[in-house]
Short mmCIF file of all heavy atoms in Angstrom, two decimals:
data_model
loop_
_atom_site.label_atom_id
_atom_site.label_comp_id
_atom_site.label_asym_id
_atom_site.label_seq_id
_atom_site.Cartn_x
_atom_site.Cartn_y
_atom_site.Cartn_z
N MET A 1 -8.99 7.70 34.91
CA MET A 1 -9.97 8.60 35.45
C MET A 1 -10.69 7.99 36.56
O MET A 1 -10.95 6.79 36.59
CB MET A 1 -10.98 8.95 34.30
CG MET A 1 -12.07 9.90 34.68
SD MET A 1 -13.03 10.20 33.24
CE MET A 1 -14.09 11.41 33.92
N VAL A 2 -10.96 8.78 37.58
CA VAL A 2 -11.67 8.19 38.78
C VAL A 2 -13.14 8.65 38.71
O VAL A 2 -13.40 9.80 38.45
CB VAL A 2 -10.98 8.70 40.05
CG1 VAL A 2 -11.75 8.23 41.21
CG2 VAL A 2 -9.55 8.28 40.14
N ASN A 3 -14.00 7.68 38.85
CA ASN A 3 -15.38 8.06 38.87
C ASN A 3 -16.06 7.65 40.16
O ASN A 3 -15.44 6.98 41.00
CB ASN A 3 -16.13 7.47 37.63
CG ASN A 3 -16.16 6.02 37.60
OD1 ASN A 3 -16.25 5.36 38.63
ND2 ASN A 3 -16.09 5.42 36.38
N LYS A 4 -17.38 8.01 40.31
CA LYS A 4 -18.12 7.74 41.54
C LYS A 4 -18.13 6.25 41.84
O LYS A 4 -17.97 5.92 43.03
CB LYS A 4 -19.48 8.29 41.30
CG LYS A 4 -20.44 8.08 42.49
CD LYS A 4 -21.82 8.66 42.22
CE LYS A 4 -22.80 8.27 43.27
NZ LYS A 4 -24.14 8.69 42.94
N ASP A 5 -18.32 5.35 40.89
CA ASP A 5 -18.40 3.91 41.21
C ASP A 5 -17.05 3.45 41.73
O ASP A 5 -17.04 2.59 42.62
CB ASP A 5 -18.76 3.14 39.95
CG ASP A 5 -20.24 3.36 39.59
OD1 ASP A 5 -21.11 3.12 40.45
OD2 ASP A 5 -20.54 3.69 38.39
N LYS A 6 -15.98 3.86 41.16
CA LYS A 6 -14.70 3.43 41.71
C LYS A 6 -14.43 3.83 43.15
O LYS A 6 -14.02 3.03 43.97
CB LYS A 6 -13.56 3.98 40.81
CG LYS A 6 -13.37 3.36 39.48
CD LYS A 6 -12.20 3.98 38.86
CE LYS A 6 -12.01 3.59 37.40
NZ LYS A 6 -10.85 4.24 36.84
N ILE A 7 -14.79 5.08 43.49
CA ILE A 7 -14.64 5.60 44.77
C ILE A 7 -15.50 4.87 45.78
O ILE A 7 -15.12 4.41 46.88
CB ILE A 7 -14.85 7.12 44.83
CG1 ILE A 7 -13.72 7.80 44.03
CG2 ILE A 7 -14.88 7.58 46.27
CD1 ILE A 7 -13.98 9.26 43.79
N GLU A 8 -16.78 4.80 45.44
CA GLU A 8 -17.70 4.08 46.34
C GLU A 8 -17.41 2.61 46.49
O GLU A 8 -17.50 2.07 47.60
CB GLU A 8 -19.19 4.27 45.81
CG GLU A 8 -19.74 5.71 45.96
CD GLU A 8 -21.19 5.78 45.50
OE1 GLU A 8 -21.76 4.80 45.03
OE2 GLU A 8 -21.65 6.95 45.52
N GLY A 9 -17.00 2.01 45.41
CA GLY A 9 -16.59 0.66 45.49
C GLY A 9 -15.43 0.36 46.42
O GLY A 9 -15.42 -0.56 47.18
N PHE A 10 -14.47 1.25 46.30
CA PHE A 10 -13.25 1.17 47.17
C PHE A 10 -13.72 1.29 48.60
O PHE A 10 -13.20 0.54 49.55
CB PHE A 10 -12.23 2.18 46.80
CG PHE A 10 -10.96 2.07 47.63
CD1 PHE A 10 -10.09 1.08 47.43
CD2 PHE A 10 -10.76 3.02 48.57
CE1 PHE A 10 -8.93 1.01 48.29
CE2 PHE A 10 -9.62 2.97 49.41
CZ PHE A 10 -8.72 1.98 49.22
N GLY A 11 -14.57 2.27 48.90
CA GLY A 11 -15.07 2.51 50.22
C GLY A 11 -15.75 1.29 50.81
O GLY A 11 -15.57 0.88 51.96
N LYS A 12 -16.62 0.61 49.95
CA LYS A 12 -17.28 -0.59 50.43
C LYS A 12 -16.31 -1.72 50.71
O LYS A 12 -16.44 -2.54 51.54
CB LYS A 12 -18.30 -1.03 49.36
CG LYS A 12 -19.48 -0.10 49.30
CD LYS A 12 -20.47 -0.55 48.24
CE LYS A 12 -21.63 0.46 48.13
NZ LYS A 12 -22.51 0.18 46.98
N GLU A 13 -15.28 -1.77 49.80
CA GLU A 13 -14.31 -2.87 50.00
C GLU A 13 -13.50 -2.67 51.34
O GLU A 13 -13.26 -3.62 52.06
CB GLU A 13 -13.33 -2.86 48.81
CG GLU A 13 -12.36 -4.04 48.81
CD GLU A 13 -11.53 -4.09 47.54
OE1 GLU A 13 -11.68 -3.32 46.65
OE2 GLU A 13 -10.69 -4.99 47.54
N VAL A 14 -13.13 -1.46 51.61
CA VAL A 14 -12.45 -1.21 52.87
C VAL A 14 -13.30 -1.46 54.06
O VAL A 14 -12.87 -2.07 55.07
CB VAL A 14 -11.91 0.31 52.91
CG1 VAL A 14 -11.36 0.73 54.26
CG2 VAL A 14 -10.82 0.51 51.86
N ALA A 15 -14.62 -0.99 53.99
CA ALA A 15 -15.47 -1.23 55.11
C ALA A 15 -15.74 -2.72 55.30
O ALA A 15 -15.86 -3.19 56.46
CB ALA A 15 -16.86 -0.51 54.84
N GLY A 16 -15.82 -3.47 54.19
CA GLY A 16 -16.00 -4.88 54.24
C GLY A 16 -14.87 -5.59 54.93
O GLY A 16 -15.02 -6.49 55.75
N LYS A 17 -13.61 -5.14 54.65
CA LYS A 17 -12.42 -5.69 55.23
C LYS A 17 -12.43 -5.47 56.68
O LYS A 17 -12.12 -6.33 57.47
CB LYS A 17 -11.15 -5.10 54.56
CG LYS A 17 -9.89 -5.79 55.05
CD LYS A 17 -9.82 -7.25 54.65
CE LYS A 17 -8.54 -7.90 55.11
NZ LYS A 17 -8.57 -9.35 54.83
N ALA A 18 -12.90 -4.26 57.15
CA ALA A 18 -12.94 -3.86 58.53
C ALA A 18 -13.92 -4.79 59.24
O ALA A 18 -13.70 -5.30 60.38
CB ALA A 18 -13.32 -2.42 58.70
N LYS A 19 -15.08 -5.09 58.62
CA LYS A 19 -16.07 -5.97 59.18
C LYS A 19 -15.51 -7.34 59.27
O LYS A 19 -15.75 -8.03 60.26
CB LYS A 19 -17.36 -6.00 58.33
CG LYS A 19 -18.32 -4.99 58.55
CD LYS A 19 -19.61 -5.21 57.68
CE LYS A 19 -20.68 -4.24 57.95
NZ LYS A 19 -21.86 -4.54 57.11
N GLU A 20 -14.88 -7.81 58.30
CA GLU A 20 -14.35 -9.20 58.29
C GLU A 20 -13.31 -9.27 59.49
O GLU A 20 -13.39 -10.28 60.25
CB GLU A 20 -13.62 -9.47 56.95
CG GLU A 20 -12.96 -10.88 56.93
CD GLU A 20 -12.13 -11.12 55.70
OE1 GLU A 20 -11.89 -10.15 54.90
OE2 GLU A 20 -11.73 -12.24 55.53
N VAL A 21 -12.45 -8.38 59.64
CA VAL A 21 -11.48 -8.39 60.73
C VAL A 21 -12.17 -8.32 62.09
O VAL A 21 -11.85 -9.05 63.02
CB VAL A 21 -10.42 -7.30 60.60
CG1 VAL A 21 -9.59 -7.19 61.79
CG2 VAL A 21 -9.59 -7.52 59.35
N ALA A 22 -13.16 -7.43 62.18
CA ALA A 22 -13.90 -7.34 63.44
C ALA A 22 -14.61 -8.64 63.70
O ALA A 22 -14.66 -9.04 64.89
CB ALA A 22 -14.94 -6.22 63.33
N GLY A 23 -15.13 -9.35 62.75
CA GLY A 23 -15.80 -10.60 62.94
C GLY A 23 -14.78 -11.65 63.46
O GLY A 23 -15.17 -12.46 64.29
N LYS A 24 -13.62 -11.64 62.84
CA LYS A 24 -12.58 -12.55 63.27
C LYS A 24 -12.17 -12.35 64.72
O LYS A 24 -12.04 -13.26 65.58
CB LYS A 24 -11.30 -12.46 62.41
CG LYS A 24 -11.55 -13.14 61.07
CD LYS A 24 -10.27 -12.96 60.24
CE LYS A 24 -10.41 -13.58 58.82
NZ LYS A 24 -9.18 -13.47 57.97
N VAL A 25 -11.94 -11.09 65.05
CA VAL A 25 -11.52 -10.70 66.40
C VAL A 25 -12.48 -11.02 67.50
O VAL A 25 -12.19 -11.52 68.57
CB VAL A 25 -11.09 -9.21 66.45
CG1 VAL A 25 -10.90 -8.68 67.84
CG2 VAL A 25 -9.89 -8.99 65.58
N THR A 26 -13.82 -10.80 67.17
CA THR A 26 -14.84 -10.94 68.13
C THR A 26 -15.46 -12.42 68.08
O THR A 26 -16.25 -12.72 68.92
CB THR A 26 -15.96 -9.98 67.94
OG1 THR A 26 -16.51 -10.12 66.61
CG2 THR A 26 -15.55 -8.50 68.10
N GLY A 27 -15.02 -13.17 67.05
CA GLY A 27 -15.58 -14.56 67.00
C GLY A 27 -16.97 -14.56 66.42
O GLY A 27 -17.74 -15.49 66.71
N ASP A 28 -17.33 -13.52 65.63
CA ASP A 28 -18.66 -13.37 65.17
C ASP A 28 -18.63 -13.81 63.60
O ASP A 28 -18.32 -13.00 62.75
CB ASP A 28 -19.18 -11.96 65.26
CG ASP A 28 -20.56 -11.74 64.81
OD1 ASP A 28 -21.14 -12.67 64.12
OD2 ASP A 28 -21.18 -10.72 65.13
N PRO A 29 -18.95 -15.07 63.34
CA PRO A 29 -18.92 -15.54 61.93
C PRO A 29 -19.72 -14.80 60.96
O PRO A 29 -19.55 -14.58 59.78
CB PRO A 29 -19.20 -17.00 62.01
CG PRO A 29 -19.86 -17.22 63.28
CD PRO A 29 -19.39 -16.09 64.16
N LYS A 30 -20.97 -14.37 61.54
CA LYS A 30 -21.93 -13.67 60.68
C LYS A 30 -21.31 -12.28 60.21
O LYS A 30 -21.45 -11.95 59.04
CB LYS A 30 -23.17 -13.41 61.45
CG LYS A 30 -24.26 -12.68 60.54
CD LYS A 30 -25.55 -12.46 61.41
CE LYS A 30 -26.60 -11.72 60.51
NZ LYS A 30 -27.13 -10.59 61.13
N LEU A 31 -20.74 -11.58 61.10
CA LEU A 31 -20.08 -10.27 60.75
C LEU A 31 -18.90 -10.55 59.77
O LEU A 31 -18.71 -9.75 58.87
CB LEU A 31 -19.56 -9.62 62.04
CG LEU A 31 -19.01 -8.20 61.89
CD1 LEU A 31 -20.05 -7.28 61.26
CD2 LEU A 31 -18.50 -7.69 63.19
N GLN A 32 -18.26 -11.59 60.05
CA GLN A 32 -17.10 -11.95 59.16
C GLN A 32 -17.59 -12.24 57.70
O GLN A 32 -17.03 -11.65 56.75
CB GLN A 32 -16.36 -13.20 59.72
CG GLN A 32 -15.01 -13.48 58.96
CD GLN A 32 -14.38 -14.63 59.70
OE1 GLN A 32 -14.67 -15.02 60.78
NE2 GLN A 32 -13.34 -15.10 59.07
N VAL A 33 -18.61 -12.94 57.61
CA VAL A 33 -19.12 -13.27 56.23
C VAL A 33 -19.80 -12.01 55.61
O VAL A 33 -19.57 -11.80 54.44
CB VAL A 33 -20.24 -14.35 56.35
CG1 VAL A 33 -21.03 -14.51 55.08
CG2 VAL A 33 -19.64 -15.73 56.68
N GLU A 34 -20.45 -11.15 56.41
CA GLU A 34 -20.93 -9.92 55.86
C GLU A 34 -19.80 -9.03 55.27
O GLU A 34 -19.94 -8.39 54.30
CB GLU A 34 -21.64 -9.10 56.98
CG GLU A 34 -23.02 -9.64 57.34
CD GLU A 34 -23.60 -8.91 58.53
OE1 GLU A 34 -23.06 -7.91 58.99
OE2 GLU A 34 -24.73 -9.34 58.97
N GLY A 35 -18.74 -9.05 56.04
CA GLY A 35 -17.52 -8.32 55.54
C GLY A 35 -16.96 -8.81 54.23
O GLY A 35 -16.67 -8.07 53.31
N VAL A 36 -16.91 -10.14 54.12
CA VAL A 36 -16.38 -10.75 52.87
C VAL A 36 -17.28 -10.45 51.72
O VAL A 36 -16.91 -10.04 50.63
CB VAL A 36 -16.22 -12.22 53.05
CG1 VAL A 36 -15.97 -12.96 51.70
CG2 VAL A 36 -15.10 -12.59 54.02
N LEU A 37 -18.67 -10.53 51.97
CA LEU A 37 -19.64 -10.21 50.92
C LEU A 37 -19.55 -8.74 50.53
O LEU A 37 -19.66 -8.37 49.33
CB LEU A 37 -21.03 -10.49 51.41
CG LEU A 37 -21.29 -12.02 51.56
CD1 LEU A 37 -22.72 -12.22 52.17
CD2 LEU A 37 -21.21 -12.78 50.24
N GLN A 38 -19.38 -7.84 51.50
CA GLN A 38 -19.32 -6.34 51.23
C GLN A 38 -18.04 -6.09 50.35
O GLN A 38 -18.09 -5.25 49.48
CB GLN A 38 -19.30 -5.56 52.52
CG GLN A 38 -19.38 -4.10 52.34
CD GLN A 38 -19.66 -3.32 53.58
OE1 GLN A 38 -19.66 -3.90 54.63
NE2 GLN A 38 -19.84 -2.04 53.43
N GLN A 39 -16.98 -6.77 50.68
CA GLN A 39 -15.80 -6.64 49.87
C GLN A 39 -16.05 -7.02 48.40
O GLN A 39 -15.60 -6.32 47.48
CB GLN A 39 -14.63 -7.48 50.41
CG GLN A 39 -14.07 -7.01 51.69
CD GLN A 39 -12.99 -7.95 52.22
OE1 GLN A 39 -11.94 -8.04 51.64
NE2 GLN A 39 -13.24 -8.55 53.36
N GLY A 40 -16.73 -8.11 48.19
CA GLY A 40 -17.10 -8.46 46.88
C GLY A 40 -17.94 -7.50 46.14
O GLY A 40 -17.78 -7.18 44.95
N VAL A 41 -18.90 -6.91 46.88
CA VAL A 41 -19.76 -5.88 46.22
C VAL A 41 -18.93 -4.65 45.86
O VAL A 41 -19.04 -4.07 44.76
CB VAL A 41 -20.85 -5.49 47.19
CG1 VAL A 41 -21.62 -4.25 46.70
CG2 VAL A 41 -21.86 -6.64 47.42
N GLY A 42 -17.98 -4.31 46.73
CA GLY A 42 -17.10 -3.25 46.45
C GLY A 42 -16.22 -3.38 45.17
O GLY A 42 -16.06 -2.52 44.35
N LYS A 43 -15.69 -4.66 45.13
CA LYS A 43 -14.84 -4.96 43.91
C LYS A 43 -15.66 -4.92 42.67
O LYS A 43 -15.23 -4.52 41.60
CB LYS A 43 -14.23 -6.29 44.17
CG LYS A 43 -13.07 -6.36 45.14
CD LYS A 43 -12.52 -7.76 45.39
CE LYS A 43 -11.51 -7.66 46.48
NZ LYS A 43 -10.92 -9.03 46.78
N ALA A 44 -16.92 -5.44 42.77
CA ALA A 44 -17.77 -5.37 41.57
C ALA A 44 -18.09 -3.98 41.14
O ALA A 44 -18.11 -3.69 39.95
CB ALA A 44 -19.11 -6.19 41.87
N GLN A 45 -18.34 -3.13 42.16
CA GLN A 45 -18.66 -1.78 41.83
C GLN A 45 -17.47 -1.05 41.25
O GLN A 45 -17.58 -0.26 40.26
CB GLN A 45 -19.11 -1.00 43.08
CG GLN A 45 -19.72 0.37 42.70
CD GLN A 45 -20.40 1.00 43.91
OE1 GLN A 45 -20.47 0.52 45.01
NE2 GLN A 45 -20.94 2.20 43.67
N GLN A 46 -16.26 -1.34 41.69
CA GLN A 46 -15.04 -0.80 41.10
C GLN A 46 -14.89 -1.28 39.70
O GLN A 46 -14.48 -0.50 38.74
CB GLN A 46 -13.84 -1.13 41.93
CG GLN A 46 -13.75 -0.45 43.23
CD GLN A 46 -12.47 -0.93 44.01
OE1 GLN A 46 -11.37 -0.60 43.55
NE2 GLN A 46 -12.67 -1.62 45.08
N ALA A 47 -15.23 -2.58 39.42
CA ALA A 47 -15.11 -3.08 38.03
C ALA A 47 -16.10 -2.40 37.13
O ALA A 47 -15.79 -2.12 35.91
CB ALA A 47 -15.37 -4.55 38.10
N LEU A 48 -17.28 -2.08 37.62
CA LEU A 48 -18.24 -1.35 36.83
C LEU A 48 -17.74 0.11 36.54
O LEU A 48 -17.87 0.51 35.38
CB LEU A 48 -19.60 -1.17 37.69
CG LEU A 48 -20.67 -0.36 37.02
CD1 LEU A 48 -21.09 -0.98 35.69
CD2 LEU A 48 -21.86 -0.18 37.95
N GLY A 49 -17.05 0.67 37.45
CA GLY A 49 -16.43 1.98 37.20
C GLY A 49 -15.44 1.93 36.16
O GLY A 49 -15.29 2.80 35.27
N GLU A 50 -14.60 0.86 36.16
CA GLU A 50 -13.54 0.67 35.17
C GLU A 50 -14.19 0.52 33.80
O GLU A 50 -13.72 1.05 32.79
CB GLU A 50 -12.75 -0.56 35.47
CG GLU A 50 -11.80 -0.38 36.65
CD GLU A 50 -10.59 0.45 36.33
OE1 GLU A 50 -10.26 0.63 35.18
OE2 GLU A 50 -10.09 1.04 37.31
N LEU A 51 -15.25 -0.28 33.71
CA LEU A 51 -15.96 -0.50 32.44
C LEU A 51 -16.53 0.80 31.96
O LEU A 51 -16.39 1.04 30.72
CB LEU A 51 -17.02 -1.60 32.69
CG LEU A 51 -17.90 -1.90 31.42
CD1 LEU A 51 -16.99 -2.41 30.27
CD2 LEU A 51 -18.97 -2.90 31.81
N LYS A 52 -17.11 1.60 32.79
CA LYS A 52 -17.66 2.88 32.35
C LYS A 52 -16.54 3.76 31.80
O LYS A 52 -16.72 4.40 30.77
CB LYS A 52 -18.40 3.57 33.50
CG LYS A 52 -19.72 3.02 33.88
CD LYS A 52 -20.28 3.75 35.06
CE LYS A 52 -21.70 3.31 35.43
NZ LYS A 52 -22.27 4.07 36.56
N ASP A 53 -15.44 3.76 32.48
CA ASP A 53 -14.30 4.57 32.00
C ASP A 53 -13.84 4.14 30.67
O ASP A 53 -13.56 4.92 29.69
CB ASP A 53 -13.09 4.47 32.93
CG ASP A 53 -13.29 5.36 34.19
OD1 ASP A 53 -14.20 6.22 34.17
OD2 ASP A 53 -12.44 5.21 35.14
N GLU A 54 -13.77 2.82 30.46
CA GLU A 54 -13.34 2.27 29.13
C GLU A 54 -14.31 2.65 28.05
O GLU A 54 -13.95 3.04 26.92
CB GLU A 54 -13.21 0.77 29.21
CG GLU A 54 -11.97 0.33 30.01
CD GLU A 54 -11.87 -1.23 30.17
OE1 GLU A 54 -12.46 -1.90 29.37
OE2 GLU A 54 -11.19 -1.61 31.09
N LEU A 55 -15.62 2.44 28.34
CA LEU A 55 -16.63 2.82 27.31
C LEU A 55 -16.54 4.39 27.01
O LEU A 55 -16.65 4.75 25.80
CB LEU A 55 -18.06 2.51 27.85
CG LEU A 55 -18.36 1.03 27.91
CD1 LEU A 55 -19.66 0.75 28.60
CD2 LEU A 55 -18.34 0.36 26.54
N ASN A 56 -16.42 5.20 27.99
CA ASN A 56 -16.35 6.60 27.74
C ASN A 56 -15.15 6.97 26.91
O ASN A 56 -15.22 7.78 26.03
CB ASN A 56 -16.30 7.44 29.06
CG ASN A 56 -17.65 7.53 29.74
OD1 ASN A 56 -18.65 7.49 29.14
ND2 ASN A 56 -17.64 7.60 31.07
N GLN A 57 -14.01 6.23 27.23
CA GLN A 57 -12.83 6.52 26.39
C GLN A 57 -12.96 6.12 24.95
O GLN A 57 -12.53 6.78 24.09
CB GLN A 57 -11.60 5.75 26.99
CG GLN A 57 -10.28 6.09 26.44
CD GLN A 57 -9.86 7.62 26.57
OE1 GLN A 57 -10.16 8.23 27.61
NE2 GLN A 57 -9.36 8.23 25.53
N GLU A 58 -13.61 4.93 24.79
CA GLU A 58 -13.89 4.45 23.42
C GLU A 58 -14.82 5.42 22.64
O GLU A 58 -14.55 5.67 21.42
CB GLU A 58 -14.50 3.08 23.43
CG GLU A 58 -13.65 1.95 23.74
CD GLU A 58 -12.58 1.76 22.68
OE1 GLU A 58 -12.86 1.84 21.42
OE2 GLU A 58 -11.44 1.48 23.09
N LEU A 59 -15.78 6.01 23.31
CA LEU A 59 -16.67 6.94 22.65
C LEU A 59 -15.93 8.25 22.29
O LEU A 59 -16.19 8.82 21.30
CB LEU A 59 -17.85 7.26 23.59
CG LEU A 59 -18.82 6.10 23.78
CD1 LEU A 59 -19.88 6.49 24.81
CD2 LEU A 59 -19.50 5.71 22.46
N LYS A 60 -15.00 8.66 23.22
CA LYS A 60 -14.22 9.85 22.88
C LYS A 60 -13.25 9.59 21.73
O LYS A 60 -12.93 10.55 20.98
CB LYS A 60 -13.45 10.25 24.14
CG LYS A 60 -14.31 10.84 25.19
CD LYS A 60 -13.48 11.26 26.37
CE LYS A 60 -14.31 11.76 27.52
NZ LYS A 60 -13.61 12.12 28.73
N ASP A 61 -12.74 8.37 21.64
CA ASP A 61 -11.72 8.12 20.61
C ASP A 61 -12.37 7.97 19.19
O ASP A 61 -11.69 8.20 18.20
CB ASP A 61 -11.03 6.77 20.87
CG ASP A 61 -10.04 6.88 22.04
OD1 ASP A 61 -9.72 8.02 22.47
OD2 ASP A 61 -9.67 5.79 22.56
N ASP A 62 -13.63 7.70 19.17
CA ASP A 62 -14.28 7.60 17.85
C ASP A 62 -14.61 8.93 17.16
O ASP A 62 -14.63 9.94 17.32
CB ASP A 62 -15.63 6.81 17.96
CG ASP A 62 -15.30 5.31 18.19
OD1 ASP A 62 -14.20 4.83 17.95
OD2 ASP A 62 -16.23 4.66 18.73
#
């Protein structure tokens, strides 16, 4: 099941990757680090979405 957290997390991860690449191309280490951090936030949000899905499934199974 896809939920809001998974979608938003994926979007943040993609945007972060774009920032990281832009930072590498332009030689801007700050932008590059921001991109890496944003990717981490996106991955964490996706993991939260997975956890919510698992909890919802457990509640439905009971």
